[in-house]
Amino acid sequence: MNSDTRKLLEAVQQGAMSVDDALLAIKKEPFADIGYAKVDMHRGIRQGAAEVIYGAGKTVAQMIGIVGVMRQHGQKTILITRLSPESAAEIAAVYPLDYRAEARCGIIGDLPEPDGIGRIVIATGGTSDIPVAEEAALTAEVHGNEVLRLYDVGVAGLHRTLYHMDDIMSASVIIAIAGMEGALASVIGGLADCPVIAVPTSVGYGASFGGVSALLSMLNSCASGVSVVNIDNGFGAGYLASMINHMEVKK
Amino acid sequence: MNSDTRKLLEAVQQGAMSVDDALLAIKKEPFADIGYAKVDMHRGIRQGAAEVIYGAGKTVAQMIGIVGVMRQHGQKTILITRLSPESAAEIAAVYPLDYRAEARCGIIGDLPEPDGIGRIVIATGGTSDIPVAEEAALTAEVHGNEVLRLYDVGVAGLHRTLYHMDDIMSASVIIAIAGMEGALASVIGGLADCPVIAVPTSVGYGASFGGVSALLSMLNSCASGVSVVNIDNGFGAGYLASMINHMEVKK
Amino acid sequence: MNSDTRKLLEAVQQGAMSVDDALLAIKKEPFADIGYAKVDMHRGIRQGAAEVIYGAGKTVAQMIGIVGVMRQHGQKTILITRLSPESAAEIAAVYPLDYRAEARCGIIGDLPEPDGIGRIVIATGGTSDIPVAEEAALTAEVHGNEVLRLYDVGVAGLHRTLYHMDDIMSASVIIAIAGMEGALASVIGGLADCPVIAVPTSVGYGASFGGVSALLSMLNSCASGVSVVNIDNGFGAGYLASMINHMEVKK
Amino acid sequence: MNSDTRKLLEAVQQGAMSVDDALLAIKKEPFADIGYAKVDMHRGIRQGAAEVIYGAGKTVAQMIGIVGVMRQHGQKTILITRLSPESAAEIAAVYPLDYRAEARCGIIGDLPEPDGIGRIVIATGGTSDIPVAEEAALTAEVHGNEVLRLYDVGVAGLHRTLYHMDDIMSASVIIAIAGMEGALASVIGGLADCPVIAVPTSVGYGASFGGVSALLSMLNSCASGVSVVNIDNGFGAGYLASMINHMEVKK
Amino acid sequence: MNSDTRKLLEAVQQGAMSVDDALLAIKKEPFADIGYAKVDMHRGIRQGAAEVIYGAGKTVAQMIGIVGVMRQHGQKTILITRLSPESAAEIAAVYPLDYRAEARCGIIGDLPEPDGIGRIVIATGGTSDIPVAEEAALTAEVHGNEVLRLYDVGVAGLHRTLYHMDDIMSASVIIAIAGMEGALASVIGGLADCPVIAVPTSVGYGASFGGVSALLSMLNSCASGVSVVNIDNGFGAGYLASMINHMEVKK
Amino acid sequence: MNSDTRKLLEAVQQGAMSVDDALLAIKKEPFADIGYAKVDMHRGIRQGAAEVIYGAGKTVAQMIGIVGVMRQHGQKTILITRLSPESAAEIAAVYPLDYRAEARCGIIGDLPEPDGIGRIVIATGGTSDIPVAEEAALTAEVHGNEVLRLYDVGVAGLHRTLYHMDDIMSASVIIAIAGMEGALASVIGGLADCPVIAVPTSVGYGASFGGVSALLSMLNSCASGVSVVNIDNGFGAGYLASMINHMEVKK
Amino acid sequence: MNSDTRKLLEAVQQGAMSVDDALLAIKKEPFADIGYAKVDMHRGIRQGAAEVIYGAGKTVAQMIGIVGVMRQHGQKTILITRLSPESAAEIAAVYPLDYRAEARCGIIGDLPEPDGIGRIVIATGGTSDIPVAEEAALTAEVHGNEVLRLYDVGVAGLHRTLYHMDDIMSASVIIAIAGMEGALASVIGGLADCPVIAVPTSVGYGASFGGVSALLSMLNSCASGVSVVNIDNGFGAGYLASMINHMEVKK
Amino acid sequence: MNSDTRKLLEAVQQGAMSVDDALLAIKKEPFADIGYAKVDMHRGIRQGAAEVIYGAGKTVAQMIGIVGVMRQHGQKTILITRLSPESAAEIAAVYPLDYRAEARCGIIGDLPEPDGIGRIVIATGGTSDIPVAEEAALTAEVHGNEVLRLYDVGVAGLHRTLYHMDDIMSASVIIAIAGMEGALASVIGGLADCPVIAVPTSVGYGASFGGVSALLSMLNSCASGVSVVNIDNGFGAGYLASMINHMEVKK
């Protein structure tokens, strides 16, 4: 703020700006500032990073409009999450869209080269968790991360989890995705020595209560280094994992 | 019922019993019958089995009275659960009581020789779960079971759990006791091939909600062969484990 | 682990194995071990035991693929749970499938002869609980158990429950299945002297909350020897009952 | 209202009362007026019926004041519920108070003769439910009912319940009081053919959630003729039972 | 039980019946026996009382079968609740069925003459509560009660409630039915001096949580004489109201 | 009440009215009074105010009937909320209806001129909250308020919120509408110095629990001057905002 | 902000202040700046308005410190809420404190003259709600409002509520405070035609769940013009009521 | 594991170690082995990193014992969390303990030099959140992080939050700690472009439900890059923040 306001004050001092104009400018300033920082994070930090559109609750027309503006501003890669096949087909008629049915995501543009600290490992307890995992994986990939998928390694067959221990130990960040009892996050958190982002899923029945059981289990994990995002929030986990995996770049 | 009622009917047929007396006997019979089975289970099946008094909410006078009646009927071993040190001291003034402070249990009489199918393994996630585990262990022991205690083997340090795999695989029945995220039951259920009785505990804070998180986690366990009892219900788990561990005897 | 590692060490001592190969073998060993035990439980213990496929969330193609692998490995009996009539019809076009609509289960291969300790009694509170009960019954039967079905014996007409008391007392293990207030588990637990596995169902309306009322009721059962599985989890109850009913065989 | 207002109107008609005096009297009346119905129910219907003071959250001074007003208005019997021993002692220094510690209730004046249709049976699942039961029993007794207490007849020992079937069948109204799984209400509702008022209690631990488990169980009772009051609300049950037991009188 | 069993015993005593035949008869009797009381309540007490079939979860074939058995046993009036229009049409092809779409109930046979103590008043908070109210009303009517319907008298327009105070005060029993905040039960309970049966409904949105808000409100009612049944349980309320309204008859 | 009752008493005094007729009149009077006040509030206070019909759960016929009565009584503007497009089309065939699809509301008649203290600002966190916001906005407009819509100004992009601070500070009353975490209400409450009505919406997924998360967040707002209405209750917020915005008029 | 910053800019324009000094002043200002609006609301609008200190979780030293700063800035009236008697005694040793034990509030300085639009009516369901009501009343009074207290007018004795209808209709704003079933808010909302602020209280037992029952009831109120604040939040209700009651002043 | 086991195998190969001794060593190793990764993470990566003892539920003797073992193994810095002043005093009699009363933490040994990527900012909504914040801050400091504390910057006074925007933007990782409505995490998440770890606290009353409101709010945060740990889990947040802040070091 200092430099901008200094210039403004100097303009007033020198009579180049009226008091009223300066007053208006100062009043508006803090907010332009704040917005800038935020916008910059999405767009300006690195070349090639993607923008993400949360598709749920948006009409096809709205999504096409947003994509248009983004591309006008030079955005190379755009990810649309929570996108139905029907909407995807309509968008694909306007823009070249790579639709990934399992993740319910569409990608416009190329995936960037991975440039993170290391590899993001995405593990799921079962096969039903894969849609959430793929949303996380694509989010990480469009933000420039190498992703290793370890699906169906739940603790009911603990040997499957342990079989992949080398992969688990090699990760820079791990996203542990599970429904039902959600024990995968604790078990992986107890094996790994990197940040673990736990994603409860709504997979299950009865007392799984749409993901609440897994959510509580993950929040109460005794393992250190585990944090949790919302039920089924693959995007949030992929985005945060990318942030962490680009820590060294940021400085 | 058949044989008793037949005798009764024959007595009526032969004039050895009045209709009124028979009517009364038949009216009372079903309930004596039903009660008998239940009582027999506690007392009659095997020599040496114990009776259990649930101490919570009972006055010292009530407990002393119940113990007196039991001993009059020849009961050798009596376990009192949920017994405070203060009450224990008062009872110990009347009967020889072996008070186990950690389990908050008192034992009157000798522990019977183990006579079950195999060994009951009792595992806990942490040290704070030990009181519940000891209540389960004593309950199993007073009912004639060999018990192996594996405490503080929670999944946050998965190697501790795995280190005891031989013990786990050797069990006839396993009682898995954990608070917080309760993942121990799933991990053990995924390793063992015997019945696993899961006991959620109220150990934890925040979103553990007094054991609800562990309870839900255990109910949703993906591992086969796992069932659940009430939060902190060490007695229930020990009693059921003993039942299962004496299956061959029953036939 | 001892015998395998001993052989390996002796091979190193005798120069028959390089240090690098031994190092790799030791590193992989614990997990092969662990996996082995688990797999063995499903398959190796007894002749004729079945494998179970949890059909929910699996495509027909996936299920046909899994069945193929299992039969290649010599599996005689396969149970598929949570199987829709439509999927069943597609599978039946490839493999001989005995579809039980009420249980929403399909069976490939013959049911094995019962070889358990005794008889598993499956009781339901009402007729709406029967699908869950049939899932439990078939699970028990494909694992080699004699099953007695006592349906619609809920406590609202207590005489119906009591009428079957001989059957209840004759059971080796009882599975008590009920929705609404779930009192059946307590009443049977108060009559029987064998393990009772309680299955809450989502049958009901209003404050039954999709099975929560029955679940809580069963968890709080005052009767000894009662444990609980997830809402509507007929498979889990049947599998555990079979485990308990084969206790003597295992030793 | 009718008779009092009628007299007043007749006095105006006959010139025995001025319009202004009548206006004032009527203005004050609605209180006594709409209230009259309620008050009448408590006081006017039968000789000897009691008033009840809910003691929780009232100071001793407030309670003594209310008792004073009631006695000034000729109230013979007064019941104070939720009354601590300390407060009881202070009140007893002013008025002759019969304090029942187990019910935490105090009675001033004599119990009226029972004049209801029949007998109110009050059954509890365990001994810990007795305080709630005694609150219900005293409430019923001060309103002129014969009460039969059947304590500790819970379904975990079903024979105890059945043993008292004659008593249960003889009841005019039954109050079924239980904590934990609350199955007593369903079992009694399935045996009896009279109104059953279910009172969940906060007795229990773990997943009993302070009475919620029993409450849900009772609300979902499959038995006809069962309704429910708030957790631990002995007074409410006793009061309603008395209302029902005096139905014929009312007409 | 006495008279039937007495005859049987006398027949044995007099040699008119063999011991084996008597044994068989007695063995079957407990059914009719303990059941007798229940069945008698439904059927035997008064001429003309109806039986009720809970239609939810029953197939048309099952319902037709049950109706057939009931009519064979001389049942004149049968009420089927929770009956869809489609099922009703199928049943109507076999038996003369009077289908009430609003209540989702069907009636076979004539309504009996009212023979209760007084009149049952059924009040609802809004028009959306009417289906539950009609289920209650028909249940009461088929059991021989005069019913007064006061619909849409909720407290948001308190004058509507008060306008009907004469009706409210005239009731023998009141059924107060409301969703949303459920205040109707408290307001009516505060006006009336007869038993009030509160029925929460699932009418509402947002924080009404499918009837939980109304349920809690009714359970916590400060008014005396109020008890609660399950959410949307019109049948339960109507049945209990009839029981209470026939108290004098029972003695 | 005084003047009416005085006249009545004088009529009795003068013999112009019988005691019985007066008794009946007095008994009915309080309630007619009360009703009057309520009706007057909706209709009589100001010229031009609208009536609102809550369309959910009403048939088209019912709505057309109510509109007819209202128009007969001279009502100029009528708002129908929660109105489906299909029902709207049917009503539009009878009355001139301006249907706003986004708000799911229909308006019959003209909007009145704004005559409130100031301007009502309606802010939403996202675009998915707009239907609720439009229901609030139309409700406010039909009651004579100027409305400023600030949509999609949620705190995830705080600069968007701050950008509109002048508008926020200019408001007479603010309606803050948000789903998910509902933080908008606190942020606006922390900026503004006028009453803030918070409306949680059911927008979200996972642990938003259909609006519960936003509801709790808003109830716990640390900012002063914030109160909350039911989830998705746009009408309630708009109505209350109008009440507040017409405070000076009322006096 | 305008006037202060304008002066500063004019000083720079006129050379009376250096750019560096102005820069420093502006940098500090936003605090006073955005904050100004809030602070002004508390302090600047009218003479004599009070500041409020939320005492919970603050040490006596902290509270004394804050009071000191406020008084240095010329604050005449200060209200401290949630203040224990012990802390009050310590503060009273330093500043003249008027401690109201029932409200658990302390007042330093004089109450201002009421200058609002009209009168704030504060009604409670029972006597146990009075502490919350007094917190609301004092908050309103220190902000310059006339307050009418209507305590213990709950709907269980509806005539008590109706008796005060004139007072209710005369209110500018009503605060309705109740625990248990919280019906008071709906009943008053159905009578009054002014904004009603509902305050659920934690008064009650059993299924009142610490105020949740009342909270839900109030959120679901069918009456228009009702909004809700947090459980026991007397301050919030009093503050908002004062805001609304000073609407005309603000313009 | 490799290097240690390799040496051992080489010793066997070279005859320097018997097979039996090697077998014993390997059998013990898995502990150190699979455990090695975890232990190494805590201890081996950098000089000076601390070990943490979770003090809750541990006796003083247990804690002193664990400290002893740690120090024997050369641990320089040890943090004990959830440590009461009484226990701290007892430990301080044995080891030099720096007790921080506000954080309820004790430190043995010196804090290491910060060696992370950047600075961890810890922000709280209010002063009552400070104990949780201090637990997080000390955890981060003993693991070698520079920590900036921004306390009492909650959104109810949004200008306070904004005033510190430079600090917020400068952070490497942010820990946002708040009770009540928990909006701080969303606001900071909407401002910052680094990972935000949200910690709900149990600060609040009424509908804050011991931290549940803040927890849900944080889980539903619309801001990207936000994840959540358990209620009041300052340690977990500090540990994870340190992990992220040392990402570049790890590679």
Side-chain angles (χ1 to χ4, degrees), chain F residues 156 181 186 190 207-208 213 217 220 222, chain H residues 156 181 186 190 207-208 213 217 220 222:
Chain F
E181 90 273 59
S186 286
S208 73
S213 171
S217 180
N220 283 286
C222 301
Chain H
E181 88 272 59
S186 287
S208 73
S213 170
S217 180
N220 283 287
C222 301

Side-chain angles (χ1 to χ4, degrees), chain A residues 99-105 127 130-132 134-135 151:
Chain A
Y99 185 64
R100 311 287 178 91
E102 199 154 41
R104 294 181 68 84
C105 289
T127 52
I130 292 179
V132 176
E134 280 300 312
E135 187 184 288
Y151 291 167

Side-chain angles (χ1 to χ4, degrees), chain F residues 130-163:
Chain F
I130 291 178
V132 176
E134 280 299 314
E135 186 184 289
L138 291 178
T139 302
E141 286 171 349
V142 300
H143 285 91
N145 298 278
E146 181 194 348
V147 171
L148 176 67
R149 291 156 168 88
L150 296 181
Y151 291 167
D152 196 20
V153 296
V155 299
L158 191 61
H159 56 287
R160 288 179 301 171
T161 319
L162 296 176
Y163 182 75

